[in-house]
Each structure stands twice: as C-alpha cells, then as structure tokens.
Amino acid sequence: MGFGITAGGYLLYCEGLPLPVLVPESQVDLGLMSAEPLNVSLYPNRGAALADIAASASEARHARYAWYRGAGGALIVPTLFSPATTPRIARTMLEVRRHLTETVQRELKVLLVNLTGVRVLQGVFTRVVRVGSEPALRPASMAPAPTPTQPAPSPGLVQALTGNNPTPQVPPGARLPRDVAVHPSVPRQLPSQRPIGPSPAQNAQLQVDIQYLQTLGARNIRVNQQQVTVDKSQRVGINRPDLQFDYKGRRYHVEYDSPTSGRGPAHQSRITSNDPSAVIILLIVP
C-alpha cells in the first residue's frame, strides 16, 4: 500500500497488475465501522453501482456499499474502502498514513538542522508499507511478478444468488436406496479448504467463491461433504456435493465440472431427489 501527500489518495500494488491502482481519498472512509451490502450483484463499473445505491437511499437505515469491477475489470472492489467493507486494507491505509507522518516529522527535523539536506526532503512524500496478511504488495520500483490476477467469483454463482440462476432446475426423481438409508444425524463440518478433485483450477475457483459467500453472510458452508438440508436439519444422502451452503433461508448446492465430463446433470438429479427444496448451480471450470 502506498500513500503520498500530493497523490490525492492511496496506491494499491496488486499481484498481476503492472501498475499500482489509485484509490482517491473520496472513495475512502476510515471512520466507517458499520455498513451493509446493497445486494449480491457484481456491477460492471462504479457508476452503475453508485446509481443503484442512490436509487435506494431513501430505504437505507445504514451506510450501503456495492461491489463492482475496477481497474479495467481486473479487480473486484467496493464503492467505499473502510473498516466495514475492507478491514485489512483499511488497517493498512491507517498504518501507511502513520508511517508517513512519522517519517515526515523525523526527516523535517533533519532538514531544520541541516539546511543543505534538500536531497533528504525529496524522498519524504511517498511511502509504501506492507502490513499483516494483505495481498502481496510491491513498491513501485519493482517489476511485477508474472502471476495471474486473482479470479473473480463464478458468474453463475453470482447470478443464482440474485434470483437469476443460469442452471434450469429439474424435478425430483426416485432416491437411491443408499441415500434413503442414511442416518439423518448431521456430521460435523470439515475445513472448507479441502479439495473437491484433482483440478487445480476448480479448487482455486472454489476458494474464491467461498470467500465471496462469506462476504454475503452465507452460513453452514460445506465442501465435499455428505448432503444436508438447510439449517443443518438432517443428512439426506451419502453423495458429496462440491459446495453447499445456506443463504437467505435456502440450501444451495454447487457442482464444479469440466467442459467434457458431463457428470453435472446426474449430480443435480440426485441432489434434487434428496432435497426438492434445494437450489442447484452447475458450473463449468476448465
């Protein structure tokens, strides 16, 4: 994270981007401790997100924000950076300001003692700080590492949670005897970092989608575990959906498939037969 006296904001150094991204001061509120997302939509740009926030301003009881694609679509960012929306980045912003203030005070004292220290002053006004577990940040003088940009949440998942599921739902069929015979007690929840298969791309996309769901307040997130119903009411099958979670009173199941495997529809049919009220989302990840 970089911050300059004359730059008019903060500089975000992100893996995979050749240049830092300027976050103007007008898009930062380091005193905002509570806010709520406007919805689960991912807007194409900041203007569209702000328009919807303004349209619903009369209904808002708390500060609101929305997510959109920034930096030419390379990043997913909120309309406002704050402790409520981006807590780790906000902590870094506070730290870089503190660091800059201390550095300016220290070097100005040197300048007052030594009036020939103009060259000291030239380097004072911008500082780059690495803090905590923020994404790897690079000072401007370093060449960017050739790493890929952090992927966005699966578009199909985002659409489904806004009520526009791209996966047509199917009617329930006959349940498999081994699913009918399963004990209804719900097994304990395992760590969500576990893999769903041998595909690195699918496992990486899964983790991005889980992070997205956590920002929305999704609960009872399970990865590669036996199927359960909403609110952990009961186990209904020994099948293991790739991802399942509760959101706004409904149980969602997500299956990650390759373009050629064709296993998704069969998985969807079995999940639906075990729990007709569940929502299934089929995603293709090469």
Side-chain angles (χ1 to χ4, degrees):
M1 175 75 69
F3 177 70
I5 290 177
T6 60
Y10 300 83
L11 298 175
L12 292 178
Y13 295 88
C14 305
E15 292 294 345
L17 296 184
L19 296 174
V21 178
L22 174 64
V23 180
E25 286 274 17
S26 60
Q27 298 179 21
V28 178
D29 185 351
L30 297 179
L32 183 64
M33 299 298 180
S34 177
E36 60 183 17
L38 177 65
N39 51 43
V40 298
S41 298
L42 180 60
Y43 291 88
N45 54 62
R46 178 175 171 81
L50 291 177
D52 274 11
I53 291 176
S56 64
S58 60
E59 308 170 2
R61 292 177 296 177
H62 305 284
R64 285 183 170 181
Y65 65 95
W67 296 94
Y68 70 96
R69 293 187 180 275
L75 300 176
I76 295 178
V77 294
T79 50
L80 189 66
F81 287 80
S82 71
T85 58
T86 54
R88 289 184 295 175
I89 290 179
R91 287 197 299 270
T92 308
M93 288 176 169
L94 289 168
E95 175 65 14
V96 75
R97 290 180 62 160
R98 182 192 62 78
H99 183 81
L100 178 62
T101 300
E102 293 175 352
T103 303
V104 170
Q105 291 175 345
R106 182 174 63 252
E107 296 188 6
L108 283 179
K109 289 179 181 179
V110 174
L111 180 62
L112 290 175
V113 174
N114 182 8
L115 294 180
T116 64
V118 176
R119 298 188 63 168
V120 174
L121 186 61
Q122 291 176 348
V124 165
F125 298 112
T126 300
R127 283 293 179 269
V128 176
V129 171
R130 297 174 184 263
V131 174
S133 55
E134 286 297 312
L137 307 175
R138 297 187 300 273
S141 59
M142 292 180 62
T147 54
T149 302
Q150 176 71 17
S154 298
L157 175 64
V158 176
Q159 292 177 35
L161 297 184
T162 60
N164 187 27
N165 191 352
T167 303
Q169 302 300 285
V170 298
R175 297 177 66 195
L176 296 179
R178 55 184 179 274
D179 289 339
V180 174
V182 71
H183 195 282
S185 61
V186 175
R188 67 182 181 89
Q189 190 168 332
L190 299 176
S192 59
Q193 293 78 18
R194 57 204 312 257
I196 55 175
S199 169
Q202 291 182 4
N203 289 322
Q205 187 63 58
L206 168 72
Q207 295 306 316
V208 173
D209 290 346
I210 290 175
Q211 292 179 17
Y212 171 68
L213 292 171
Q214 290 172 337
T215 66
L216 300 181
R219 300 180 300 105
N220 191 18
I221 298 174
R222 291 171 178 251
V223 174
N224 192 16
Q225 288 194 252
Q226 293 179 345
Q227 183 180 354
V228 301
T229 57
V230 66
D231 292 329
K232 296 186 288 188
S233 298
Q234 69 177 80
R235 173 168 39 186
V236 290
I238 63 172
N239 56 313
R240 297 174 178 269
D242 291 336
L243 171 65
Q244 50 183 314
F245 59 91
D246 293 350
Y247 181 67
K248 292 188 174 180
R250 299 199 69 178
R251 190 65 173 168
Y252 289 80
H253 300 269
V254 183
E255 290 287 344
Y256 296 80
D257 212 351
S258 69
T260 58
S261 75
R263 293 175 297 181
H267 292 165
Q268 179 183 17
S269 178
R270 184 174 181 181
I271 295 170
T272 302
S273 299
N274 288 336
D275 183 7
S277 65
V279 178
I280 291 83
I281 306 168
L282 302 182
L283 302 177
I284 299 298
V285 180

Coordinates of all heavy atoms in Angstrom, one line a residue, residues 77-148:
V77 N -13.9 -4.6 -6.4 CA -13.7 -3.6 -5.3 C -15.0 -3.1 -4.9 O -16.0 -3.1 -5.6 CB -12.7 -2.5 -5.8 CG1 -11.4 -3.0 -6.1 CG2 -13.3 -1.8 -7.0
P78 N -15.1 -2.6 -3.6 CA -16.3 -1.9 -3.1 C -16.3 -0.5 -3.5 O -15.3 0.1 -3.9 CB -16.2 -2.1 -1.6 CG -14.7 -2.0 -1.4 CD -14.0 -2.7 -2.6
T79 N -17.5 0.1 -3.5 CA -17.7 1.5 -3.8 C -17.0 2.4 -2.7 O -16.8 3.6 -3.0 CB -19.2 1.9 -3.9 OG1 -19.9 1.4 -2.7 CG2 -19.8 1.3 -5.2
L80 N -16.8 1.8 -1.5 CA -16.1 2.6 -0.5 C -15.2 1.7 0.3 O -15.6 0.6 0.7 CB -17.2 3.2 0.5 CG -16.7 4.2 1.5 CD1 -16.2 5.4 0.9 CD2 -17.8 4.5 2.5
F81 N -13.9 2.1 0.5 CA -13.0 1.4 1.3 C -13.1 1.9 2.7 O -13.0 3.1 3.0 CB -11.5 1.6 0.7 CG -11.3 0.9 -0.6 CD1 -11.7 1.5 -1.8 CD2 -10.6 -0.3 -0.6 CE1 -11.4 0.8 -3.0 CE2 -10.3 -0.9 -1.8 CZ -10.7 -0.4 -3.0
S82 N -13.3 1.0 3.6 CA -13.5 1.4 5.0 C -13.2 0.1 5.9 O -13.2 -1.0 5.4 CB -14.9 1.9 5.3 OG -15.8 0.8 5.2
P83 N -13.2 0.3 7.2 CA -13.0 -0.8 8.1 C -14.2 -1.8 8.0 O -14.1 -3.0 8.3 CB -12.9 -0.2 9.5 CG -12.4 1.1 9.3 CD -12.9 1.6 8.0
A84 N -15.4 -1.3 7.6 CA -16.6 -2.1 7.5 C -16.6 -2.9 6.2 O -17.2 -4.0 6.2 CB -17.8 -1.2 7.5
T85 N -16.0 -2.4 5.2 CA -16.0 -3.1 3.9 C -14.8 -3.9 3.5 O -14.8 -5.0 2.9 CB -16.3 -2.1 2.7 OG1 -15.3 -1.1 2.7 CG2 -17.7 -1.4 3.0
T86 N -13.6 -3.3 3.8 CA -12.3 -3.9 3.5 C -11.4 -3.8 4.8 O -10.5 -2.9 4.8 CB -11.7 -3.3 2.3 OG1 -11.6 -1.9 2.5 CG2 -12.4 -3.6 1.0
P87 N -11.7 -4.5 5.8 CA -11.0 -4.3 7.1 C -9.5 -4.4 7.0 O -8.8 -3.5 7.6 CB -11.6 -5.3 8.0 CG -12.2 -6.4 7.1 CD -12.6 -5.6 5.9
R88 N -8.9 -5.3 6.3 CA -7.5 -5.5 6.3 C -6.8 -4.4 5.5 O -5.8 -3.8 5.9 CB -7.1 -6.8 5.7 CG -7.4 -8.0 6.6 CD -6.9 -9.3 6.1 NE -7.6 -9.7 4.8 CZ -7.3 -10.7 4.1 NH1 -6.3 -11.5 4.4 NH2 -8.0 -11.0 3.0
I89 N -7.5 -4.0 4.3 CA -6.9 -2.9 3.6 C -7.0 -1.6 4.3 O -6.1 -0.7 4.3 CB -7.7 -2.8 2.2 CG1 -7.3 -4.0 1.3 CG2 -7.3 -1.5 1.5 CD1 -7.9 -4.0 0.0
A90 N -8.1 -1.4 5.1 CA -8.3 -0.2 5.9 C -7.2 -0.1 7.0 O -6.6 1.0 7.2 CB -9.7 -0.1 6.5
R91 N -6.9 -1.2 7.6 CA -5.8 -1.2 8.6 C -4.5 -0.8 7.9 O -3.7 -0.1 8.5 CB -5.7 -2.6 9.3 CG -6.8 -2.9 10.2 CD -6.4 -4.1 11.1 NE -6.1 -5.3 10.4 CZ -7.1 -6.2 10.1 NH1 -8.3 -6.0 10.4 NH2 -6.7 -7.3 9.4
T92 N -4.3 -1.3 6.7 CA -3.0 -1.0 6.0 C -3.0 0.5 5.7 O -1.9 1.2 5.8 CB -2.9 -1.8 4.7 OG1 -3.1 -3.2 5.1 CG2 -1.5 -1.6 4.1
M93 N -4.1 1.1 5.3 CA -4.2 2.5 5.0 C -3.9 3.3 6.2 O -3.1 4.3 6.2 CB -5.6 2.9 4.5 CG -5.9 2.4 3.1 SD -7.6 2.7 2.6 CE -7.5 2.3 0.8
L94 N -4.4 2.9 7.4 CA -4.1 3.7 8.6 C -2.6 3.6 8.9 O -2.0 4.5 9.4 CB -4.9 3.1 9.7 CG -6.4 3.5 9.7 CD1 -7.2 2.7 10.7 CD2 -6.6 5.0 9.9
E95 N -2.0 2.4 8.7 CA -0.6 2.2 9.0 C 0.3 3.0 8.1 O 1.3 3.6 8.6 CB -0.3 0.7 8.9 CG 1.2 0.3 9.1 CD 1.7 0.6 10.5 OE1 0.8 0.8 11.4 OE2 2.9 0.6 10.7
V96 N -0.1 3.0 6.8 CA 0.8 3.8 5.9 C 0.7 5.3 6.2 O 1.7 6.0 6.0 CB 0.4 3.4 4.4 CG1 -0.8 4.1 4.0 CG2 1.6 3.8 3.5
R97 N -0.4 5.8 6.6 CA -0.5 7.2 7.0 C 0.3 7.5 8.2 O 1.0 8.5 8.3 CB -2.0 7.5 7.2 CG -2.8 7.6 5.9 CD -4.2 7.9 6.2 NE -4.4 9.3 6.7 CZ -5.5 10.0 6.6 NH1 -6.6 9.4 6.0 NH2 -5.6 11.2 7.1
R98 N 0.2 6.6 9.2 CA 1.0 6.8 10.4 C 2.5 6.7 10.1 O 3.3 7.6 10.6 CB 0.7 5.7 11.4 CG 1.4 5.8 12.8 CD 1.3 4.6 13.6 NE 1.9 3.4 13.0 CZ 3.2 3.2 12.9 NH1 4.1 4.0 13.5 NH2 3.6 2.1 12.3
H99 N 2.9 5.8 9.3 CA 4.3 5.6 8.9 C 4.8 6.9 8.1 O 5.9 7.4 8.4 CB 4.5 4.4 8.0 CG 5.9 4.1 7.6 ND1 6.8 3.5 8.4 CD2 6.6 4.4 6.4 CE1 7.9 3.4 7.8 NE2 7.8 3.9 6.6
L100 N 4.0 7.4 7.2 CA 4.4 8.6 6.5 C 4.5 9.8 7.4 O 5.4 10.6 7.3 CB 3.3 8.9 5.4 CG 3.6 10.2 4.6 CD1 4.9 10.1 3.8 CD2 2.4 10.4 3.6
T101 N 3.5 10.0 8.4 CA 3.6 11.1 9.3 C 4.9 11.0 10.1 O 5.6 12.1 10.3 CB 2.4 11.1 10.2 OG1 1.2 11.2 9.4 CG2 2.4 12.2 11.2
E102 N 5.2 9.9 10.7 CA 6.4 9.8 11.5 C 7.7 10.0 10.6 O 8.6 10.7 11.1 CB 6.5 8.4 12.1 CG 5.4 8.1 13.1 CD 5.4 6.6 13.6 OE1 6.2 5.8 13.0 OE2 4.7 6.3 14.5
T103 N 7.7 9.6 9.4 CA 8.8 9.8 8.5 C 9.0 11.3 8.2 O 10.1 11.8 8.2 CB 8.7 9.0 7.2 OG1 8.6 7.6 7.6 CG2 10.0 9.1 6.4
V104 N 7.9 11.9 7.9 CA 8.0 13.4 7.6 C 8.5 14.2 8.8 O 9.4 15.0 8.6 CB 6.6 13.9 7.1 CG1 6.6 15.4 7.0 CG2 6.2 13.3 5.8
Q105 N 7.9 13.9 9.9 CA 8.4 14.6 11.1 C 9.9 14.4 11.4 O 10.6 15.3 11.7 CB 7.6 14.1 12.3 CG 6.1 14.6 12.3 CD 5.3 14.0 13.4 OE1 5.7 13.1 14.1 NE2 4.1 14.6 13.6
R106 N 10.3 13.1 11.2 CA 11.7 12.8 11.5 C 12.6 13.5 10.5 O 13.7 14.1 10.9 CB 11.9 11.3 11.5 CG 13.3 10.9 11.8 CD 13.4 9.4 11.9 NE 13.1 8.7 10.7 CZ 12.0 8.0 10.5 NH1 11.1 7.9 11.4 NH2 11.8 7.4 9.3
E107 N 12.3 13.4 9.2 CA 13.2 14.0 8.2 C 13.1 15.5 8.1 O 14.1 16.1 7.7 CB 12.9 13.3 6.9 CG 13.2 11.8 6.9 CD 13.1 11.2 5.5 OE1 12.9 11.9 4.5 OE2 13.2 9.9 5.5
L108 N 12.0 16.1 8.5 CA 12.0 17.5 8.6 C 12.9 18.1 9.7 O 13.4 19.2 9.6 CB 10.5 18.0 8.8 CG 9.6 18.0 7.5 CD1 8.2 18.5 7.8 CD2 10.3 18.8 6.4
K109 N 12.9 17.3 10.8 CA 13.9 17.7 11.9 C 15.3 17.7 11.4 O 16.1 18.6 11.7 CB 13.7 16.8 13.1 CG 12.4 17.0 13.8 CD 12.3 16.0 15.0 CE 11.0 16.1 15.7 NZ 10.9 15.1 16.9
V110 N 15.6 16.7 10.6 CA 17.0 16.7 10.0 C 17.2 17.9 9.1 O 18.3 18.5 9.1 CB 17.2 15.3 9.2 CG1 18.5 15.3 8.5 CG2 17.1 14.1 10.1
L111 N 16.2 18.2 8.3 CA 16.3 19.3 7.4 C 16.5 20.7 8.1 O 17.3 21.5 7.7 CB 15.1 19.4 6.5 CG 15.0 20.6 5.5 CD1 16.2 20.4 4.5 CD2 13.7 20.6 4.8
L112 N 15.8 20.8 9.2 CA 16.0 22.1 10.0 C 17.4 22.2 10.6 O 17.9 23.3 10.7 CB 14.9 22.1 11.2 CG 13.5 22.3 10.7 CD1 12.6 22.2 11.9 CD2 13.3 23.6 10.0
V113 N 18.0 21.1 10.9 CA 19.3 21.1 11.4 C 20.3 21.3 10.3 O 21.3 22.0 10.5 CB 19.6 19.8 12.2 CG1 21.1 19.7 12.6 CG2 18.7 19.6 13.4
N114 N 20.1 20.7 9.2 CA 21.0 20.8 8.1 C 20.3 21.4 6.9 O 19.6 20.7 6.1 CB 21.5 19.4 7.7 CG 22.6 19.5 6.6 OD1 23.0 20.5 6.2 ND2 23.0 18.3 6.2
L115 N 20.4 22.7 6.6 CA 19.6 23.3 5.6 C 20.1 22.9 4.2 O 19.5 23.2 3.2 CB 19.8 24.8 5.7 CG 19.1 25.4 6.9 CD1 19.3 26.9 7.0 CD2 17.6 25.1 7.0
T116 N 21.2 22.1 4.1 CA 21.7 21.6 2.8 C 21.1 20.3 2.5 O 21.4 19.6 1.5 CB 23.2 21.5 2.8 OG1 23.6 20.5 3.8 CG2 23.8 22.8 3.1
G117 N 20.1 19.8 3.3 CA 19.6 18.5 3.2 C 18.4 18.4 2.3 O 17.4 17.7 2.6
V118 N 18.4 19.2 1.2 CA 17.3 19.2 0.2 C 17.1 17.8 -0.3 O 16.0 17.3 -0.5 CB 17.5 20.2 -0.9 CG1 16.4 20.1 -1.9 CG2 17.7 21.6 -0.3
R119 N 18.1 17.1 -0.6 CA 18.0 15.7 -1.1 C 17.3 14.8 -0.2 O 16.7 13.8 -0.6 CB 19.4 15.2 -1.5 CG 20.1 16.0 -2.6 CD 21.3 15.4 -3.1 NE 21.1 14.1 -3.7 CZ 22.0 13.5 -4.4 NH1 23.2 14.0 -4.6 NH2 21.7 12.3 -5.0
V120 N 17.4 15.0 1.1 CA 16.7 14.2 2.1 C 15.2 14.4 1.9 O 14.4 13.5 1.9 CB 17.1 14.6 3.5 CG1 16.3 13.8 4.5 CG2 18.6 14.2 3.7
L121 N 14.8 15.7 1.7 CA 13.4 16.0 1.6 C 12.7 15.4 0.4 O 11.5 15.1 0.4 CB 13.2 17.6 1.6 CG 11.8 18.1 1.6 CD1 11.1 17.7 2.9 CD2 11.8 19.6 1.5
Q122 N 13.5 15.2 -0.7 CA 12.9 14.8 -1.9 C 12.3 13.4 -1.8 O 11.3 13.0 -2.5 CB 14.0 14.7 -3.0 CG 14.4 16.1 -3.4 CD 15.6 16.0 -4.4 OE1 16.2 14.9 -4.6 NE2 15.9 17.1 -5.1
G123 N 12.7 12.6 -0.9 CA 12.2 11.2 -0.8 C 11.1 11.1 0.3 O 10.7 10.0 0.6
V124 N 10.7 12.2 0.9 CA 9.8 12.1 2.1 C 8.4 11.8 1.7 O 7.7 11.0 2.5 CB 9.9 13.4 2.9 CG1 8.8 13.5 3.9 CG2 11.3 13.5 3.6
F125 N 7.9 12.3 0.6 CA 6.5 12.4 0.5 C 5.7 11.2 0.0 O 4.5 11.4 -0.2 CB 6.2 13.7 -0.4 CG 6.7 14.9 0.2 CD1 7.8 15.6 -0.4 CD2 6.2 15.4 1.4 CE1 8.3 16.7 0.2 CE2 6.7 16.6 2.0 CZ 7.8 17.2 1.4
T126 N 6.3 10.1 -0.2 CA 5.5 8.9 -0.5 C 6.2 7.7 0.2 O 7.4 7.6 0.2 CB 5.5 8.7 -2.0 OG1 4.9 9.8 -2.7 CG2 4.7 7.4 -2.3
R127 N 5.3 6.9 0.8 CA 5.8 5.7 1.4 C 5.0 4.5 1.1 O 3.8 4.6 0.8 CB 5.8 5.9 3.0 CG 6.9 6.8 3.5 CD 8.3 6.1 3.3 NE 9.3 7.0 3.8 CZ 10.0 7.8 3.1 NH1 9.7 8.0 1.8 NH2 11.0 8.5 3.6
V128 N 5.6 3.3 1.0 CA 4.9 2.1 0.7 C 5.1 1.2 2.0 O 6.2 1.1 2.5 CB 5.5 1.4 -0.5 CG1 4.9 0.0 -0.7 CG2 5.3 2.3 -1.7
V129 N 4.0 0.6 2.4 CA 4.0 -0.2 3.6 C 3.4 -1.6 3.4 O 2.4 -1.7 2.6 CB 3.2 0.5 4.7 CG1 3.1 -0.4 5.9 CG2 4.0 1.8 5.2
R130 N 4.0 -2.6 3.9 CA 3.4 -4.0 3.9 C 2.9 -4.2 5.4 O 3.6 -4.1 6.3 CB 4.4 -5.0 3.5 CG 4.9 -4.9 2.1 CD 6.0 -5.9 1.9 NE 6.7 -5.7 0.6 CZ 6.4 -6.4 -0.5 NH1 5.4 -7.3 -0.4 NH2 7.0 -6.3 -1.6
V131 N 1.6 -4.7 5.5 CA 1.1 -4.9 6.8 C 0.3 -6.2 6.8 O -0.5 -6.5 5.9 CB 0.1 -3.7 7.2 CG1 -0.6 -4.0 8.5 CG2 0.9 -2.4 7.3
G132 N 0.5 -7.0 7.9 CA -0.3 -8.1 8.2 C -0.4 -9.1 7.0 O 0.5 -9.4 6.3
S133 N -1.6 -9.6 6.8 CA -1.9 -10.6 5.8 C -2.5 -10.0 4.5 O -3.2 -10.7 3.8 CB -2.8 -11.7 6.3 OG -4.0 -11.1 6.8
E134 N -2.2 -8.8 4.2 CA -2.7 -8.2 3.0 C -2.1 -8.9 1.8 O -1.1 -9.6 1.9 CB -2.2 -6.7 2.9 CG -3.0 -5.8 3.9 CD -4.5 -5.7 3.5 OE1 -4.8 -5.5 2.3 OE2 -5.3 -5.9 4.4
P135 N -2.7 -8.8 0.6 CA -2.1 -9.4 -0.6 C -0.8 -8.8 -0.8 O -0.4 -7.7 -0.4 CB -3.1 -8.9 -1.7 CG -4.4 -8.7 -1.0 CD -4.0 -8.2 0.4
A136 N 0.1 -9.6 -1.4 CA 1.5 -9.2 -1.7 C 1.5 -7.9 -2.4 O 1.0 -7.7 -3.5 CB 2.2 -10.3 -2.5
L137 N 2.2 -6.9 -1.8 CA 2.2 -5.5 -2.3 C 3.7 -5.2 -2.7 O 4.6 -5.6 -2.1 CB 1.8 -4.5 -1.3 CG 0.4 -4.8 -0.6 CD1 0.1 -3.8 0.5 CD2 -0.7 -4.8 -1.7
R138 N 3.8 -4.5 -3.8 CA 5.1 -4.2 -4.3 C 5.4 -2.7 -4.4 O 4.5 -2.0 -4.8 CB 5.3 -4.8 -5.8 CG 5.1 -6.3 -5.9 CD 5.4 -6.7 -7.3 NE 4.5 -6.1 -8.2 CZ 3.3 -6.6 -8.5 NH1 2.9 -7.7 -8.0 NH2 2.6 -6.0 -9.4
P139 N 6.6 -2.3 -4.0 CA 6.9 -0.9 -4.2 C 7.0 -0.6 -5.7 O 7.2 -1.5 -6.5 CB 8.3 -0.7 -3.5 CG 8.8 -2.1 -3.5 CD 7.6 -3.0 -3.3
A140 N 6.8 0.7 -6.1 CA 6.7 1.0 -7.5 C 7.9 0.7 -8.3 O 7.9 0.5 -9.5 CB 6.3 2.5 -7.6
S141 N 9.1 0.6 -7.6 CA 10.3 0.4 -8.3 C 10.5 -1.0 -8.7 O 11.4 -1.3 -9.5 CB 11.5 0.9 -7.4 OG 11.5 0.1 -6.2
M142 N 9.7 -2.0 -8.2 CA 9.9 -3.4 -8.5 C 9.1 -3.8 -9.7 O 7.9 -3.3 -9.9 CB 9.5 -4.2 -7.3 CG 10.4 -4.1 -6.1 SD 9.8 -5.2 -4.8 CE 10.0 -6.8 -5.5
A143 N 9.6 -4.6 -10.6 CA 8.9 -5.1 -11.7 C 7.8 -6.1 -11.2 O 8.1 -6.8 -10.3 CB 9.8 -5.8 -12.7
P144 N 6.6 -6.1 -11.8 CA 5.6 -7.0 -11.4 C 6.0 -8.5 -11.6 O 6.5 -8.8 -12.7 CB 4.4 -6.6 -12.2 CG 4.9 -6.0 -13.4 CD 6.2 -5.3 -13.0
A145 N 5.6 -9.3 -10.7 CA 5.8 -10.8 -10.9 C 4.8 -11.3 -11.9 O 3.7 -10.9 -12.0 CB 5.7 -11.5 -9.6
P146 N 5.2 -12.2 -12.7 CA 4.3 -12.8 -13.7 C 3.3 -13.8 -13.2 O 3.4 -15.0 -13.5 CB 5.3 -13.5 -14.7 CG 6.4 -13.9 -13.8 CD 6.6 -12.8 -12.8
T147 N 2.5 -13.3 -12.3 CA 1.5 -14.2 -11.6 C 0.1 -13.8 -12.1 O -0.2 -12.6 -12.5 CB 1.5 -14.0 -10.1 OG1 1.4 -12.6 -9.8 CG2 2.8 -14.5 -9.6
P148 N -0.8 -14.7 -12.2 CA -2.2 -14.4 -12.7 C -3.0 -13.5 -11.8 O -2.8 -13.5 -10.6 CB -2.8 -15.8 -12.9 CG -2.1 -16.6 -11.9 CD -0.7 -16.1 -11.9

